[in-house]
Amino acid sequence: MDTSGERDLMYSEGLNLKDWEFLVPQESMDIWAIILDDPNPIHLDANAVKQVGLGNKTINQGPANIAYILNMIEENFPNSQILKMNNKMTNSVLQGDLVTVSGKIIEIKVRGDQFIASCSIQLTAGEDKIAVLSEIDVLFKESQ
Amino acid sequence: MIKENKKTWDELILNPKGLKNEVFSGLSFPGGVFFIDSDTNASIYKSTGVLVDNKNLNNFIKAHPIFLFTSTLRGSGASIQDIFNLLNYDVNNGPMLGQCNMSFKSPLQLEKEYKIDGKINSLKQKISKKLGRIKILDFTLSMFDNPNSPIASVNYIWILPEKET
């Protein structure tokens, strides 16, 4: 189904959502270490990453990657509410990576005067490294 | 056969070395509270590339949903480091978040305190093709604004690589 009618905004099953991009700086990881009270050195020190054999760049915190996906959802569904979000981390996002969050609407259901969109989303780091796969249910109201 | 009483988090942390994985199944977190403040909310938006200014007023009044993570991890009564200490796990081995599954009954609010509670579901040993010997830590944390039912919950699956000895 879709949400068209006499409104300009239309969501439909199969619709590709607008991409969201962000270039990950070390400063963001430093802030997230404080926000999460997480001293894990792989987020802060490239030498620590080398020592555990995970490469030579610091690794972005998982919650930050999920926050990017949430930002993409908010941009595509303004003033919406997340009902459910299942995330699978499949790869690391590194300092300096350009992340792209993309996805589409799989299903739309009606709930009263609102809609629930079930979306399949992926976060890609660089050209083709999929770092997070998400299945999200979003509650939204069509804007007038 | 007499069943040994399960120990609490506070009891186990006194001597975390040599604990069997099964000891952690069903272990309740100490619990605590977390206050969602506007300054941290702004930091989250800014550090994830979202403008926080007069043109984006929603970012001032809405709590970012990622607070479900930060609130539960910070307000459970045990930080990430505390969890690793309890498991006698060396953070220098590079623990990784594998999965996290979130659910919300209502949006989170700014300038509000929430009660946090949860439990470890399991700690299991496995062999990974990529990482070798690992442990899988599974725990669930919830946020409450009243004692009766949680308004949001998150299930975490952490991958804990172990150094070969």
Side-chain angles (χ1 to χ4, degrees), chain B residues 30 45-46 49 75 108:
Chain B
Y45 277 110
K46 285 179 190 172
L108 304 180

mmCIF file of all heavy atoms in Angstrom, chain B residues 30 45-46 49 75 108:
data_model
loop_
_atom_site.group_PDB
_atom_site.id
_atom_site.type_symbol
_atom_site.label_atom_id
_atom_site.label_comp_id
_atom_site.label_asym_id
_atom_site.label_seq_id
_atom_site.Cartn_x
_atom_site.Cartn_y
_atom_site.Cartn_z
ATOM 1 N N PRO B 30 23.092 -4.226 38.665
ATOM 2 C CA PRO B 30 22.815 -3.509 39.918
ATOM 3 C C PRO B 30 21.629 -2.554 39.795
ATOM 4 O O PRO B 30 20.909 -2.319 40.743
ATOM 5 C CB PRO B 30 24.119 -2.743 40.185
ATOM 6 C CG PRO B 30 25.164 -3.511 39.461
ATOM 7 C CD PRO B 30 24.492 -4.076 38.248
ATOM 8 N N TYR B 45 23.804 15.019 18.692
ATOM 9 C CA TYR B 45 23.414 15.498 17.367
ATOM 10 C C TYR B 45 24.618 16.067 16.609
ATOM 11 O O TYR B 45 24.848 15.748 15.444
ATOM 12 C CB TYR B 45 22.308 16.551 17.471
ATOM 13 C CG TYR B 45 20.920 15.959 17.594
ATOM 14 C CD1 TYR B 45 20.198 16.039 18.774
ATOM 15 C CD2 TYR B 45 20.330 15.319 16.509
ATOM 16 C CE1 TYR B 45 18.928 15.487 18.875
ATOM 17 C CE2 TYR B 45 19.057 14.773 16.603
ATOM 18 C CZ TYR B 45 18.357 14.863 17.799
ATOM 19 O OH TYR B 45 17.107 14.316 17.893
ATOM 20 N N LYS B 46 25.404 16.882 17.283
ATOM 21 C CA LYS B 46 26.558 17.505 16.618
ATOM 22 C C LYS B 46 27.570 16.461 16.182
ATOM 23 O O LYS B 46 28.112 16.534 15.083
ATOM 24 C CB LYS B 46 27.237 18.499 17.569
ATOM 25 C CG LYS B 46 26.490 19.799 17.760
ATOM 26 C CD LYS B 46 27.230 20.696 18.741
ATOM 27 C CE LYS B 46 26.374 21.889 19.123
ATOM 28 N NZ LYS B 46 26.987 22.689 20.214
ATOM 29 N N GLY B 49 26.710 14.650 12.966
ATOM 30 C CA GLY B 49 26.556 15.422 11.741
ATOM 31 C C GLY B 49 25.234 16.128 11.569
ATOM 32 O O GLY B 49 24.888 16.523 10.450
ATOM 33 N N GLY B 75 23.399 3.885 32.848
ATOM 34 C CA GLY B 75 22.547 3.938 34.040
ATOM 35 C C GLY B 75 22.217 2.590 34.655
ATOM 36 O O GLY B 75 21.420 2.506 35.588
ATOM 37 N N LEU B 108 11.620 9.069 23.985
ATOM 38 C CA LEU B 108 12.345 9.480 25.179
ATOM 39 C C LEU B 108 12.278 10.999 25.301
ATOM 40 O O LEU B 108 12.250 11.704 24.289
ATOM 41 C CB LEU B 108 13.799 9.019 25.098
ATOM 42 C CG LEU B 108 13.991 7.525 24.877
ATOM 43 C CD1 LEU B 108 15.478 7.184 24.801
ATOM 44 C CD2 LEU B 108 13.313 6.722 25.972
#
